[in-house]
Amino acid sequence: MSYLGAWALSACSPEEAAAVESHLPECARCAEEAHRLRDAVGLLHHEEPLDLDPGLRARVLESCLDRRPPKIPVPEWAAAYDTETARLDALLQDIQDAEWHAPVRLRWFEGEKQVGRRTTVAGVIGHLMTVDGLVAVALGLEDPLGRARAAAAECGSPSRPSWPRSRVSAASTS
């Protein structure tokens, strides 16, 4: 019977499921296959989430750093930033090409007014790289954008936010 796989996954229409179920008592071969397929489907459904423990990465990194200190030690005041940067780095390892252009709505405050800005994942990362570069230079570290920023400065390209004011939406309460 060709519906056995779909039946085992509960993907048949009610009519198809009824046809399969009326056939199974009459056909030992199909009944045996249906039993094997239902057992296999049961293995696909985990009761526990497959996500790793959120603290696992931090524990592994901490264990590694205990054995070998980082090349540039992270000051205590920057630990939270360093952790978030590591999490973002891990997330970006798995991002697919199409996801770079996914729309993103950012919300924060300008003075006392809440504002929203629309951009993409690539826009957010570009903004973060720019800001991180400015902070790095202010701290006396190497600019992560290095030559790219220098080349833009030589061309007279002004440094500006990646989302122009004309794209700022009205304050949102949601």
Side-chain angles (χ1 to χ4, degrees):
M1 175 155 255
S2 63
Y3 291 120
L4 282 179
W7 174 82
L9 291 167
S10 299
C12 288
S13 70
E15 296 81 23
E16 294 166 338
V20 169
E21 289 164 5
S22 67
H23 174 75
L24 292 178
E26 299 170 6
C27 180
R29 196 177 90 213
C30 286
E32 185 179 322
E33 181 67 12
H35 180 71
R36 277 197 306 268
L37 288 171
R38 276 280 163 105
D39 286 346
V41 168
L43 295 173
L44 297 174
H45 299 288
H46 291 283
E47 295 300 319
E48 298 176 20
L50 297 176
D51 294 332
L52 294 176
D53 173 13
L56 178 63
R57 179 178 168 80
R59 289 193 308 272
V60 168
L61 287 173
E62 185 177 326
S63 173
C64 292
L65 292 175
D66 285 346
R67 294 183 187 151
R68 184 172 139 206
K71 199 174 198 180
I72 300 173
V74 176
E76 183 78 26
W77 56 266
Y81 177 79
D82 185 55
T83 301
E84 290 304 312
T85 302
R87 289 177 60 195
L88 179 60
D89 184 50
L91 177 68
L92 293 177
Q93 296 295 321
D94 296 330
I95 198 165
Q96 302 295 314
D97 288 343
E99 293 171 309
W100 285 103
H101 303 290
V104 175
R105 180 175 165 83
L106 303 173
R107 294 185 185 107
W108 64 79
F109 288 86
E110 280 185 5
E112 297 294 318
K113 183 180 176 188
Q114 183 180 9
V115 296
R117 302 190 194 284
R118 296 182 192 281
T119 185
T120 63
V121 172
V124 170
I125 299 303
H127 174 75
L128 291 173
M129 288 176 59
T130 301
V131 171
D132 285 355
L134 296 172
V135 171
V137 170
L139 293 173
L141 301 172
E142 183 178 329
D143 183 347
L145 294 179
R147 292 186 198 138
R149 189 185 310 272
E154 287 174 12
C155 294
S157 174
S159 174
R160 64 180 192 268
S162 47
W163 32 76
R165 284 216 176 266
S166 62
R167 301 204 53 181
V168 174
S169 64
S172 166
T173 57
S174 59

